[in-house]
């Protein structure tokens, strides 16, 4: 959980048993209430939003107070994508620092193509991390 995230991003179990993945946070446009953006992990490709206060509250089930959503861990795939993103970004930044003036024309072309490929890879990983709701 970062200072910008009110709860950990990851997998949660609803008190009825279904699992959901928290993928981000937002604010309600009218009330500025904190919202949780999540998706079901049952194959549906939709994205849902719910007030954070409702996400975190406890409810009574059979006379017992239980959490509406219980955190059960991170998404392994999201962790792997995050690691890949950091590695790609680091490699691209190192490539961009290379002094092009000292390179032969063929080496310069090769480096430019590698940087372009790294940028494409970064874009694809970012889409998967933050925009794709179909996994």
């Amino acid at each position: 959980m970062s200072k910008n995230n009110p709860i950990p991003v990851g997998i949660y179990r609803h008190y009825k048993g279904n699992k959901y993945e928290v993928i981000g946070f937002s604010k309600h446009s009218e009330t500025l209430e904190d919202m949780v953006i999540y998706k079901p992990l049952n194959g549906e490709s939709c994205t849902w939003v719910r007030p954070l206060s409702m996400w975190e509250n406890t409810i009574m089930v059979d006379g017992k107070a239980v959490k509406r959503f219980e955190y059960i861990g991170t998404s392994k795939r999201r962790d792997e994508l995050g690691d890949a993103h950091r590695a790609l970004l680091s490699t691209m930044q190192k490539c961009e620092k290379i002094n092009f003036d000292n390179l032969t024309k063929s080496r310069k072309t090769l480096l430019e193509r590698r940087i372009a490929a790294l940028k494409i890879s970064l874009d694809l990983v970012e889409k998967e991390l933050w925009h794709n709701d179909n996994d």
Side-chain angles (χ1 to χ4, degrees):
M1 177 171 57
S2 78
K3 63 181 179 176
N4 296 330
N5 296 346
I7 60 173
V9 171
I11 311 300
Y12 288 78
R13 182 180 297 110
H14 188 263
Y15 76 95
K16 292 181 180 176
N18 293 333
K19 292 181 183 175
Y20 299 89
E21 181 179 6
V22 170
I23 59 174
F25 305 94
S26 187
K27 294 263 187 204
H28 190 287
S29 63
E30 300 296 320
T31 66
L32 299 180
E33 181 178 13
D34 289 326
M35 307 296 279
V36 177
I37 304 166
Y38 65 103
K39 63 182 180 178
L41 294 178
N42 63 0
E44 289 181 47
S45 62
C46 59
T47 303
W48 296 90
V49 63
R50 180 186 293 255
L52 175 64
S53 59
M54 183 183 274
W55 188 272
E56 292 186 303
N57 73 350
T58 56
I59 56 172
M60 297 301 287
V61 177
D62 297 328
K64 244 171 90 174
V66 297
K67 290 182 178 181
R68 182 182 301 270
F69 290 93
E70 183 176 0
Y71 179 72
I72 58 174
T74 62
S75 165
K76 183 179 178 189
R77 176 148 175 80
R78 192 167 296 278
D79 289 346
E80 290 169 347
L81 286 168
D83 291 344
H85 185 269
R86 284 185 291 280
L88 287 166
L89 187 59
S90 173
T91 303
M92 187 181 72
Q93 289 168 342
K94 288 175 185 172
C95 288
E96 289 175 331
K97 287 181 182 177
I98 294 173
N99 185 351
F100 278 65
D101 296 336
N102 299 332
L103 298 177
T104 63
K105 185 176 180 179
S106 62
R107 288 219 178 258
K108 188 183 224 180
T109 301
L110 178 62
L111 185 57
E112 288 170 343
R113 289 180 180 166
R114 286 180 175 165
I115 291 171
L118 286 164
K119 287 180 179 179
I120 291 168
S121 299
L122 273 168
D123 286 346
L124 291 171
V125 169
E126 287 171 0
K127 281 181 184 174
E128 180 74 16
L129 265 172
W130 296 297
H131 303 295
N132 186 351
D133 297 327
N134 296 319
D135 63 353

